[in-house]
Amino acid sequence: MAWRSFFVLTFILISCTFANSQSERISLPRVRQVVVVVCDGLTLQSLLQMGEPIATLLQTGAVGLLSGSSLELSGRKGVLVTLGSGRRAKANERAELGKWLQQNGKSFRLEGDGVLEAIVGEKTFQGTKPVRQPDVAFIATTKASLLPTLKGLIKRLDENSCLWLVIPNSPQTGWSTRRLTPILVFGKQVPSGLLTSSTTRKIGLVSSVDFVPTLLAQLGIPKPATATGSKMKVARFEGDILAYLKWLDERSIKPLQDLPALTFTMSAITAVALLLVALILLLEIRPQGRWSIWNSKIVKSVAVFAVLAGMSIPASLLLVTHLPHKTGTTNALQLLLLTFAFALTALKFFAWLDKASSNGLPVSLRAAGLICAFTALIALLGVPLYWATPLGHYPTTGWRYFGVTNSGIGLALAGTIFAWKLLGLPNRLTAIWLTLSPLLSGFSLWGANFGGALTLAIGFAASWVCTTSESFSWRKILGSSLLALALTVLALSIAENFVPSEQKAHWGQLLERIELLGVTTLVDMMTRKFSLLWAFFTRTPLNLVALTLFVAFHFGTMLLFRRSHLFAKLKTAFIATFVGSWAGLMLNDSGMEVVGMAMVIFGGVFLLALLEDTSSIHRGDGVAIGESS
C-alpha cells in the first residue's frame, strides 16, 4: 500500500507541475540601457502624495511592493539582495553586481551616496565604454530631488531604455514598524500591471532578491549560479491597482501591530491551563477536607477545557488573520473565541458521539485528537501561501514568502502522529497522508520546505514502525527513517526536474547549484544550517529554555510509561514525535520552530493524559473526567 501510494503521489506532483506552471505573466522587455533611481525612506502613501510624474508612472508602468530585510541599505553595508550567495545574514557580504556587469561587458555609472556602493559593490567604473553613456546608470536621490530627477530622466527615455524606481527602506526601520516599500519600472515597452515573481508567488509583492535577476535579464546577462531570487514579471490587473497595493501594504503590517495583544492572549490561555493542572495535581497529592468531589469535577473540567483551548491556538492563529478587525484588541478577542469554540466543539462532538471509546481513551483525549487532525490539515494544506502563516507576512523577512513554514512542519508532524493515535484512524488511510505530506511540503509548487519534508519523512517513518509493529526497536526506527529519507529525496528530485527553472525553490534551486558548482554547495548549506542552529541558542536563551522544557516532557513520559496504563497507550506517539522533532531541529534553519510547535501538541496531550490518569486513580473506576464533561 505504501509503495503504491508513493509512486501515485509522485506522478500527481509531476502532473500538478504542469497545471501550476501555466500562468499568464508577461516578461519585462530586453533593453540596451537601464536607469535605476534609488530613493531611501519612502512609503507607498508618501509616494502617492508627491504628484507628477509619480502618478503617471504608477498608472502606466509596472508597480509592486518590495519585501525583504536583506537590503539593509540604511547601514550602507554589503547587500546580498543584489548579487550575493544567498546566505541568510544581515548584509555582511560585499555585493558583486558591478563586478558581474563588467565581466559580461556592461558598463555602469554611480551618481550619489554610499547606498549605491552597497547595491553595486564598486566605487569606480573600470570599463571600455564611455562613462557618459553607460549600460546601467545608478542614481541615488533624496525625497526633495526625486521629482525633478524623474522628470529629466523620463524625457530622455527611448524605446530601448527603461527606468526603475527602487525604494530600499521605509522611514521606520524597526522590526515591528517597517513597511513594504514601492518598486516600479517604466518604459515605452513596459506593460502596465503588477510586478510578481516566483519567489513570493503573490501578485504585487516581490522580493528584494528579485531585483538583480530582473535587471540582468533585461540586459541579456545570465544570472550567476550563486545568486538568489527570480526574474520579475508583470501580471495584468483589472481592478484598481493603487487600492490593491494599499490593501497589500496594510495587510503586511497588521500582524505585527496585533502581535502584543495576541501574545498576551496566548500567554494568558497557557498560564491558566498550567495553573489549573498544577492545582489539580496538588489537590491529588494533598487532598483538602473541605474540597468536595463536586468541586474537583468542576475544576478538572475547566482544566481540560483550558488545555484543549491552548492546543487550539495554532489552528486559531491560522484562521484569525483572515478575519476582519481594526484593532489588536479585537484580534485578540477573536483568537480567544476561536480557541474556546475549537475546544467546546471537540468536547461536545465526542460526548455526543458516544461515551465509550473503542480504543479505551477518554473523551478529552479524543477531542484533542480531533484538534490535532485539524491543525495538521490546515498547517499543510491550508498554507500554500505565506500569507496564511500564523502571524502573517513580515516586511522584515527576506526569505520565506510562500509555502509551509517551519512552524507549520512542527504542527503537521505532531498533529498527524497524535491524531492517528488518539482517533484510531485506519492504517490504510493514514498511510496515504504519511506519504503525501513530506512530498507536498518539499515540492517547489506547494510547500517549498525541503528540510521540513525530510523532517516529516523521518517522523512519520518512526510513527509507522511504532504504531504498526507489535514490537519495535530503535534499529527498526533508524532503518525505516533512512529509507523514508532516501525515497523522499528521490521523489522530490524527480518531480523538481519537471518544474520550470524560475519556479524552483529550495531543493530545486539547490539541485541546480550542485549541478553547476559541485557538492561544495551542499557542504556550504549544511555548514550554514549548523551555524544558524548554534546562533539560535547562543543569541536567544529562550530557545534553549524551550528545548530544555521539551526534553523534560519526554523524560516525564518515560517515567510514566511503566506507572500509567494511559501513558503506556500513548507511548508510541510520544516516541515518534520526539524522533521527528529532533530531526526537525537538525534539518531546518529555524529548527526550534519545529520543536516549539510540536511541543504545543505534545505538551497538551501530556497534560491531558496526566489529568485523566490522576482522575482515574483517584476515582478508582477508570472513568476520566473528560467523559463526564
Side-chain angles (χ1 to χ4, degrees):
M1 180 68 184
W3 282 95
R4 187 183 306 170
S5 301
F6 174 78
F7 288 110
V8 169
L9 293 171
T10 302
F11 174 76
I12 292 175
L13 287 179
I14 296 174
S15 301
C16 290
T17 300
F18 296 102
N20 286 280
S21 61
Q22 304 300 321
S23 55
E24 295 184 1
R25 300 289 187 267
I26 305 173
S27 296
L28 289 168
R30 289 274 297 272
V31 293
R32 284 202 305 261
Q33 186 183 42
V34 178
V35 180
V36 181
V37 177
V38 180
C39 184
D40 217 353
L42 292 176
T43 62
L44 176 64
Q45 189 63 33
S46 61
L47 193 68
L48 293 175
Q49 297 173 353
M50 297 184 70
E52 293 292 344
I54 299 296
T56 301
L57 295 179
L58 293 174
Q59 293 174 1
T60 59
V63 62
L65 294 178
L66 185 67
S67 175
S69 63
S70 52
L71 255 109
E72 292 290 339
L73 296 185
S74 59
R76 303 297 188 261
K77 300 177 182 178
V79 187
L80 65 87
V81 58
T82 54
L83 205 59
S85 65
R87 289 183 173 87
R88 289 184 64 182
K90 282 199 171 184
N92 60 354
E93 61 175 325
R94 192 69 177 172
E96 297 181 353
L97 175 57
K99 181 179 179 182
W100 186 253
L101 288 173
Q102 290 180 12
Q103 289 179 359
N104 286 272
K106 300 296 181 180
S107 59
F108 65 91
R109 184 179 68 224
L110 306 183
E111 296 180 13
D113 57 16
V115 67
L116 299 179
E117 296 175 15
I119 293 178
V120 183
E122 294 286 342
K123 293 184 178 181
T124 59
F125 164 72
Q126 296 177 356
T128 58
K129 295 183 179 181
V131 178
R132 294 181 180 179
Q133 296 180 348
D135 297 303
V136 187
F138 297 93
I139 302 174
T141 183
T142 63
K143 181 179 179 180
S145 61
L146 177 61
L147 293 182
T149 300
L150 290 176
K151 290 178 181 178
L153 293 173
I154 291 174
K155 292 180 180 179
R156 297 196 295 267
L157 287 180
D158 57 28
E159 294 184 353
N160 293 314
S161 60
C162 73
L163 171 69
W164 281 88
L165 174 59
V166 180
I167 301 175
N169 297 289
S170 68
Q172 303 84 17
T173 57
W175 180 82
S176 61
T177 59
R178 182 174 177 174
R179 307 295 292 262
L180 298 173
T181 54
I183 180 173
L184 61 89
V185 56
F186 172 80
K188 294 184 177 181
Q189 298 186 51
V190 176
S192 175
L194 290 169
L195 292 171
T196 186
S197 76
S198 58
T199 304
T200 61
R201 316 284 170 105
K202 184 71 176 179
I203 294 177
L205 177 69
V206 293
S207 169
S208 54
V209 297
D210 296 328
F211 169 65
V212 165
T214 310
L215 175 66
L216 297 179
Q218 285 192 287
L219 296 171
I221 301 175
K223 184 183 75 170
T226 55
T228 57
S230 304
K231 182 175 62 175
M232 298 181 204
K233 292 187 176 182
V234 182
R236 297 290 189 181
F237 192 76
E238 300 298 333
D240 188 336
I241 289 180
L242 296 182
Y244 173 77
L245 290 177
K246 290 178 182 178
W247 171 84
L248 202 61
D249 187 31
E250 291 297 325
R251 175 65 179 82
S252 70
I253 199 66
K254 196 63 178 173
L256 294 175
Q257 294 174 341
D258 297 338
L259 185 58
L262 289 175
T263 302
F264 176 80
T265 303
M266 291 184 287
S267 301
I269 296 174
T270 305
V272 169
L274 292 175
L275 287 174
L276 288 174
V277 172
L279 177 62
I280 296 299
L281 295 179
L282 181 63
L283 292 174
E284 293 294 343
I285 297 174
R286 292 186 175 183
Q288 302 295 322
R290 297 181 180 180
W291 189 261
S292 65
I293 297 178
W294 182 79
N295 287 330
S296 179
K297 287 183 179 180
I298 293 178
V299 176
K300 287 180 180 179
S301 296
V302 175
V304 166
F305 185 84
V307 173
L308 288 174
M311 293 180 65
S312 303
I313 288 175
S316 300
L317 279 172
L318 290 166
L319 297 178
V320 76
T321 52
H322 298 285
L323 297 176
H325 66 276
K326 295 183 178 180
T327 65
T329 303
T330 304
N331 199 220
L333 181 60
Q334 290 172 342
L335 176 65
L336 187 66
L337 293 177
L338 276 175
T339 57
F340 286 0
F342 277 128
L344 184 61
T345 301
L347 278 172
K348 292 299 182 182
F349 175 77
F350 281 104
W352 167 79
L353 190 63
D354 55 27
K355 292 292 183 180
S357 171
S358 59
N359 57 11
L361 293 176
V363 166
S364 64
L365 283 172
R366 284 184 289 154
L370 188 62
I371 292 173
C372 290
F374 181 75
T375 301
L377 284 170
I378 199 171
L380 188 65
L381 301 182
V383 197
L385 294 176
Y386 180 81
W387 294 83
T389 53
L391 294 177
H393 167 76
Y394 288 107
T396 56
T397 299
W399 193 256
R400 177 61 53 79
Y401 299 97
F402 72 98
V404 184
T405 63
N406 291 329
S407 297
I409 293 298
L411 297 175
L413 171 75
T416 297
I417 294 173
F418 280 104
W420 185 15
K421 189 66 178 180
L422 298 175
L423 298 179
L425 300 176
N427 289 343
R428 289 189 176 183
L429 176 63
T430 307
I432 297 176
W433 175 257
L434 297 183
T435 308
L436 174 67
S437 300
L439 299 182
L440 276 180
S441 63
F443 190 47
S444 286
L445 299 183
W446 187 264
N449 190 330
F450 181 61
L454 302 185
T455 297
L456 294 183
I458 292 174
F460 290 164
S463 66
W464 183 264
V465 172
C466 293
T467 303
T468 60
S469 302
E470 295 183 0
S471 60
F472 65 88
S473 64
W474 289 105
R475 182 178 298 178
K476 288 183 179 180
I477 291 177
L478 178 61
S480 299
S481 296
L482 292 176
L483 178 61
L485 202 68
L487 291 175
T488 301
V489 172
L490 175 63
L492 289 175
S493 299
I494 295 173
E496 292 294 328
N497 285 329
F498 295 92
V499 178
S501 179
E502 62 182 17
Q503 294 286 324
K504 291 183 179 180
H506 289 205
W507 180 235
Q509 292 178 355
L510 184 60
L511 285 174
E512 287 188 342
R513 292 188 182 185
I514 292 175
E515 184 179 352
L516 293 171
L517 303 176
V519 294
T520 54
T521 302
L522 186 61
V523 175
D524 179 66
M525 183 193 73
M526 296 304 298
T527 303
R528 284 190 285 118
K529 283 184 178 293
F530 285 113
S531 63
L532 281 169
L533 186 64
W534 174 256
F536 276 129
F537 292 119
T538 55
R539 297 178 183 177
T540 312
L542 183 61
N543 288 330
L544 184 60
V545 173
L547 183 62
T548 303
L549 183 61
F550 185 64
V551 174
F553 268 123
H554 280 285
F555 275 109
T557 56
M558 292 174 63
L559 294 175
L560 292 169
F561 284 156
R562 296 181 180 180
R563 301 182 182 182
S564 167
H565 177 69
L566 187 55
F567 273 92
K569 278 181 171 290
L570 302 175
K571 178 180 180 180
T572 54
F574 283 123
I575 291 177
T577 305
F578 184 71
V579 172
S581 299
W582 274 102
L585 182 67
M586 304 302 294
L587 292 170
N588 295 266
D589 287 343
S590 303
M592 274 308 302
E593 294 178 5
V594 178
V595 175
M597 290 299 102
M599 186 167 60
V600 171
I601 293 176
F602 183 99
V605 175
F606 178 90
L607 294 176
L608 288 175
L610 202 60
L611 284 172
E612 301 293 4
D613 188 59
T614 55
S615 174
S616 176
I617 294 174
H618 180 71
R619 295 172 60 176
D621 56 4
V623 179
I625 189 68
E627 293 179 337
S628 59
S629 298

